Amino acid sequence: MMKHQVIVVGGGLAGLRAAVETAMLGVDTAVLSLLYPVRSHSGAAQGGINGALANMEECKDDSPAKHAYDTIKGSDFMADQDCAEIMTTDAPARIYELEHWGVPFSRTADGRIAQRPFGGAGYPRTCYAADKTGLYILHTLNEQAVKHGIKVYNEWAAIAVASDGTASHGLVALNLQTGEIESFAADAIIFATGGAGRIFRRTSNAMQSTGYCLGVAYKAGVPLKDMEFVQFHPTTIVGTNILMSEAARGEGGYLVNNQGERFMARYAAKAMELAPRDIVSRSIQTEINEGRGFPEGGGCVHLDLRHLGREKILERLPGIRDLAISFLGIDCIEKPIWVQPGQHFIMGGIDTDKDGATILPGLYAAGECAAVSVHGANRLGGNSLLECVVMGQRSGAAAAQYVKGKASAVKEAVLADAAKKATAEVEALLNSEGKERLVNLRDRMADTMTNHIGIYREEKAMKEALATLQELRVCYRQIGVDAKTRKFNLDLLRTIELGGMLDAAEAMAAGALARQESRGAHSRLDFKTRDDANWLKHTLAHHTPDGARLEYEPVTITKWQPEERKY
Ligand SMILES: Cc1cc2nc3c(=O)[nH]c(=O)nc-3n(C[C@H](O)[C@H](O)[C@H](O)COP(=O)(O)OP(=O)(O)OC[C@H]3O[C@@H](n4cnc5c(N)ncnc54)[C@H](O)[C@@H]3O)c2cc1C
C-alpha cells in the first residue's frame, strides 16, 4: 500500500496546478496519471487563456466584473454567478504567476502579455503563446512539479475511490506496467481527469478523454452536475475532427457556405464569426442541413483565412496551418479549410463547490471533469484553461487545509475492501469469455451520442438513445476481453473505461431528455426557447443501479438578472 497526504488523479493543467499548490503548502503530494503529465490533453489547447489584464489599447476598460458578465451571459445564465466572479477575479494573478514561472506568452510591442479577441467576449481578453498556449503552460507547470519534488505515478489508472459513505479513504488504481491493482491511502484525493469527448463519435478530444473517472466519482456517491450541457466546437477538421482553434476566427477568419456567403450575418449580425460557440455551431449545422454546406465529411463549411495573409498566419496561427496541411492536405494560406462542428468540452461534471470540494469529505475535483459551475450551459473559449489554473489552485489549497496538521484518518479496512472489490471486478473482466466485443459497444455508444444527444435534440431521438444505452449496459455484462496479458493490457483498460463511459453517457442523455427547454448548448427542436420559470436550475444526477436519478438545485444569481442573449 502506498501512502500520501494528497493524491491528485490526472497530470493535466488542473491536476498539476493543484499538486503544485499542495506541495508548496508543505503537504506530501503525489500525482497519479494514465499518461506522462505533459502528454495530457491540456497540451493540445491552442487558442489561449482569458483574464481581464487590460493590456491592449482596445481593452483598457476591461475588468474582472466585465469578464464575469460575459462568462455568465455566455453560460446562458446557468453559471453560478459567485463562482464565475471568483474565477475572473483570480484570473490576472494566476496568469501573471504562470508568466513568472516561465510561460512564453506572445507579447505586445511594449512587452506586455498580448491579448486576442475570442467568441462572446466584450474585449480582446485571451492571452496566448502563438497557437500552442496549452502546451507551454503544461510544460511550465510540469517544471514546477519537478522543482517541488512531487512524486508522479505514471501510467496508472485510478479505478475506484474507497468510501464508507462518510469520507474518502483513498484510491484503488491499476498499474498498467505490471497489471497489478494497488491501493493508495490518502486523506484527500483531487480528481483532475479532464473531458469526456470519446463518449461521442466526432470529437476534438484526445483518446484519453474518456470521462471514465466521472463514473468512478458517480459510483462513489458524488452526483454529476449539468451533464446535458455538452459543447460542440464549430470548427473541427472534417474526418479527424482535429480542432481548428477559435483563434483562427479571433484573428479574423471567415466562415463561408457553398454560396460564398459569410452566413453568420444571418445568425449573429454583430458578433459574426465571434458569437459564442453554441450559436456558431448551430448556425453551421443549419447551413449544412439546409443544403448550403459542402459535401465533404458528411457536410462541412469553409474556414477561410486567406485574407489574413501569409505573414499573420505564420506568426499567429502556425499550429493551425500545420495541422490542416498534415491532416487535410490543405495549406490555409492558399485554400479554405473544411470544417464541421465536433464535440469539444463538457460543461457538466463532478459536482463541486467553489473550492473544488464534493459532498464526500476528502474528495475534490478540478478542471474539465468538475462542474463548479463557472460555464453553465455554454463555455466561452479561453475560460477552460483559466478554470484549470484557478480551480486547480483553489482545490489544492482546500485539500491542503483539510489534511494539514492532522493525523491521518484513513480507515485501512475500507481501503482494503475497495481494493478487493475492484480486483474481483477486473479479474472477472480479464477472465471473461463473453460474446460481446468492446469495439462494437463503444462504436454504438459513440454513434448514438453524436446522432441523438448532439447539437440539435428532440424527445423521440433522446428516448431511443437512453434505450440504446440501457441495452449497451446489459451487453457490457457479457463483454469478453481478448488480450489476456497483464502488462500494458490496453484491451482491458478500454473495457474497464467503457463501464464508466456508459454511466456518464447515460447521465447526459437522462439530463437532456428531462430538460424541456433550449439553453446554451442544449438545443431542443421540441422546446425551442429558454424557460427560466421552470428550468433555471442545475441538474444533479445520482447513480443508482438502474440509471440516473435526477434532482435539481437553484442557480446562484448575484448581480446579473437573466436576460435574452443577443450577439
Ligand atoms: C484540441 C483542444 C483545444 C483546446 N483549446 C483550448 C483553449 O485554447 N483555451 C481553453 O481555455 N480551453 C481549450 N480547450 C479545453 C481545455 O484544454 C481543457 O478543458 C483542459 O485542458 C482540461 O484540462 P484538465 O487538466 O482538466 O484535463 P486534461 O488535460 O485532459 O488531463 C487529464 C489527466 O487525467 C489523467 N487521467 C484520465 N483518466 C485517468 C485515470 N483513470 N487514472 C489516472 N489518470 C487519469 C490523464 O492522464 C491526464 O493527465 C481545448 C481542448 C481541446 C481538446
Side-chain angles (χ1 to χ4, degrees), residues 303-517:
L303 172 64
D304 198 344
L305 306 180
R306 289 173 296 181
H307 58 285
L308 302 182
R310 183 182 184 85
E311 204 178 319
K312 190 166 179 181
I313 291 176
L314 291 183
E315 186 207 325
R316 306 272 178 89
L317 303 167
I320 298 291
R321 176 173 176 254
D322 286 348
L323 286 171
I325 291 175
S326 305
F327 290 92
L328 203 57
I330 286 180
D331 183 348
C332 63
I333 294 174
E334 285 152 17
K335 282 187 185 160
I337 306 168
W338 303 340
V339 292
Q340 63 188 185
Q343 191 285 349
H344 183 57
F345 183 83
I346 50 165
M347 273 69 77
I350 301 168
D351 178 33
T352 76
D353 69 6
K354 59 184 177 10
D355 295 313
T358 70
I359 57 164
L360 185 66
L363 185 65
Y364 297 77
E368 190 169 339
C369 71
V372 178
S373 134
V374 291
H375 308 302
N378 175 61
R379 169 180 76 93
L380 295 186
N383 266 356
S384 172
L385 295 185
L386 177 62
E387 179 192 16
C388 286
V389 291
V390 168
M391 290 309 300
Q393 187 271 331
R394 293 182 70 87
S395 61
Q401 198 186 8
Y402 181 75
V403 302
K404 236 183 139 174
K406 294 180 201 143
S408 171
V410 166
K411 292 183 185 159
E412 289 186 4
V414 175
L415 186 55
D417 269 1
K420 205 168 138 198
K421 187 162 166 259
T423 306
E425 281 170 11
V426 171
E427 287 297 323
L429 277 179
L430 195 58
N431 295 325
S432 158
E433 299 293 338
K435 65 179 190 321
E436 299 289 351
R437 283 295 162 272
L438 170 68
V439 59
N440 300 340
L441 303 191
R442 237 182 110 144
D443 280 356
R444 274 189 72 196
M445 170 187 67
D447 285 334
T448 301
M449 294 303 283
T450 287
N451 295 336
H452 296 335
I453 313 289
I455 296 179
Y456 286 113
R457 300 166 173 185
E458 47 101 15
E459 181 171 309
K460 187 166 166 282
M462 286 193 285
K463 280 189 167 157
E464 271 172 43
L466 265 176
T468 306
L469 292 171
Q470 266 147 22
E471 193 191 318
L472 289 173
R473 200 199 293 275
V474 175
C475 298
Y476 182 72
R477 288 188 211 121
Q478 288 148 33
I479 202 164
V481 175
D482 291 325
K484 300 293 180 196
T485 169
R486 297 218 168 242
K487 292 186 181 166
F488 263 102
N489 189 338
L490 292 185
D491 194 12
L492 174 65
L493 175 67
R494 300 278 174 249
T495 306
I496 296 172
E497 285 171 344
L498 180 65
M501 292 167 88
L502 284 170
D503 282 339
E506 206 254 349
M508 284 175 187
L513 177 63
R515 184 173 286 278
Q516 297 187 331
E517 64 160 353

Side-chain angles (χ1 to χ4, degrees), residues 9-15 32-37 40-49 118 133 156-159 192-195 204-206 208-210 212-213 243 245 277 344-345 366-369 379-386 388 497:
V9 184
L13 237 60
L32 181 139
S33 180
L34 214 48
L35 301 175
Y36 189 70
S40 303
H41 186 64
S42 293
Q46 303 164 353
I49 176 167
F118 247 53
T133 316
W156 284 74
I159 52 175
T193 52
S204 66
N205 285 192
Q208 101 250 2
S209 303
T210 59
Y212 163 68
C213 278
L243 190 78
S245 167
R277 291 179 178 170
H344 183 57
F345 183 83
E368 190 169 339
C369 71
R379 169 180 76 93
L380 295 186
N383 266 356
S384 172
L385 295 185
L386 177 62
C388 286
E497 285 171 344

